[in-house]
Amino acid sequence: QKEVEQDPGPLSVPEGAIVSLNCTYSNSAFQYFMWYRQYSRKGPELLMYTYSSGNKEDGRFTAQVDKSSKYISLFIRDSQPSDSATYLCAMTGSARQLTFGSGTQLTVLP
Amino acid sequence: GAVVSQHPSWVICKSGTSVKIECRSLDFQATTMFWYRQFPKQSLMLMATSNEGSKATYEQGVEKDKFLINHASLTLSTLTVTSAHPEDSSFYICSAIISGNTQYFGPGTRLTVL
């Protein structure tokens, strides 16, 4: 079993839809949780960084962490074609090295 | 704006030659940088942790004599792929920690070995 599980998709939604991306993990030592967006042939771009359980909102993006269930989510409201990318969840404990999910490929159709 | 840069963005080389990729932190000092490789439609695979002024720490299965890492200054880490072969063709990405545990990634370098 992988430490971090992420549905690879692909996920296709119409413009304006709410997108829900999810990851589950098994390592209780993970304390810091991140979501990255990666466009084709580009490096990952940090979208959200969370530490505690609960919700964190930034514009159209909301990151949710449930440590008791070992489950994290990223919600994208009013999705746009420019949101089409691969979304990677990542997490770490005290070691600072990131453990990534496999990435979810998202396409937002105009 | 970008906080981590990489050079070159893409490189094509002949089999058997060596290629150096630079990773620079912009406007901040990075005592720790990371090197990843990524194959098409796959996630990032950590190759090594680069520490300024000391030897890099390589992940299991990564040949340290083939992938030479030098972190000679607080703003620059280099990855040299020695005696490159077609199977080394990949997307190489570096990252740096600014504070805490947040890693910022460079734009990546696409290596093609003919």
Side-chain angles (χ1 to χ4, degrees), chain A residues 19 24 27-28 39-40 42 47 51 61 65 67 70 93-94 103:
Chain A
V19 177
T24 59
N27 191 340
S28 299
Y39 292 111
S40 181
K42 300 291 185 182
L47 285 178
Y51 170 69
F61 299 94
V65 174
K67 288 187 177 181
K70 295 187 178 66
S94 58

Side-chain angles (χ1 to χ4, degrees), chain A residues 3 5 13 28-29 32-33 56 83-84 96:
Chain A
E3 280 191 293
E5 297 280 357
V13 301
S28 299
Y32 307 94
F33 305 92
K56 180 178 181 179
D83 294 327
S84 298
R96 307 181 95 188

Side-chain angles (χ1 to χ4, degrees), chain B residues 27-90:
Chain B
D27 300 324
F28 73 97
Q29 296 179 336
T31 55
T32 302
M33 292 183 173
F34 301 90
W35 285 97
Y36 297 82
R37 65 188 298 181
Q38 186 178 35
F39 292 105
K41 297 191 183 298
Q42 293 187 24
S43 192
L44 283 75
M45 184 191 81
L46 179 65
M47 298 176 67
T49 302
S50 172
N51 300 298
E52 187 271 335
S54 65
K55 292 182 179 180
T57 304
Y58 290 83
E59 294 300 300
Q60 191 173 9
V62 178
E63 299 176 59
K64 62 180 181 180
D65 294 330
K66 180 168 186 61
F67 299 99
L68 301 179
I69 292 173
N70 184 281
H71 195 157
S73 79
L74 288 171
T75 60
L76 174 64
S77 176
T78 60
L79 168 67
T80 302
V81 183
T82 62
S83 186
H85 290 282
E87 57 266 30
D88 298 323
S89 299
S90 188

Side-chain angles (χ1 to χ4, degrees), chain A residues 71-92:
Chain A
Y71 186 89
I72 68 171
S73 300
L74 177 70
F75 298 97
I76 306 174
R77 291 184 299 280
D78 187 25
S79 57
Q80 302 296 311
S82 57
D83 294 327
S84 298
T86 296
Y87 289 80
L88 297 154
C89 65
M91 47 199 79
T92 185

Side-chain angles (χ1 to χ4, degrees), chain B residues 94-114:
Chain B
C94 70
S95 71
I97 292 179
I98 297 178
S99 64
N101 291 293
T102 306
Q103 288 188 29
Y104 290 87
F105 287 83
T109 297
R110 184 159 303 280
L111 170 64
T112 301
V113 184
L114 302 176

Side-chain angles (χ1 to χ4, degrees), chain A residues 11-22 57 59-64 73-81 83 87 104 106-109:
Chain A
L11 179 63
S12 185
V13 301
E15 183 175 355
I18 296 175
V19 177
S20 173
L21 304 167
N22 311 294
E57 188 175 318
R60 296 185 295 112
F61 299 94
T62 299
Q64 190 174 79
S73 300
L74 177 70
F75 298 97
I76 306 174
R77 291 184 299 280
D78 187 25
S79 57
Q80 302 296 311
D83 294 327
Y87 289 80
T104 300
L106 171 68
T107 300
V108 181
L109 301 171

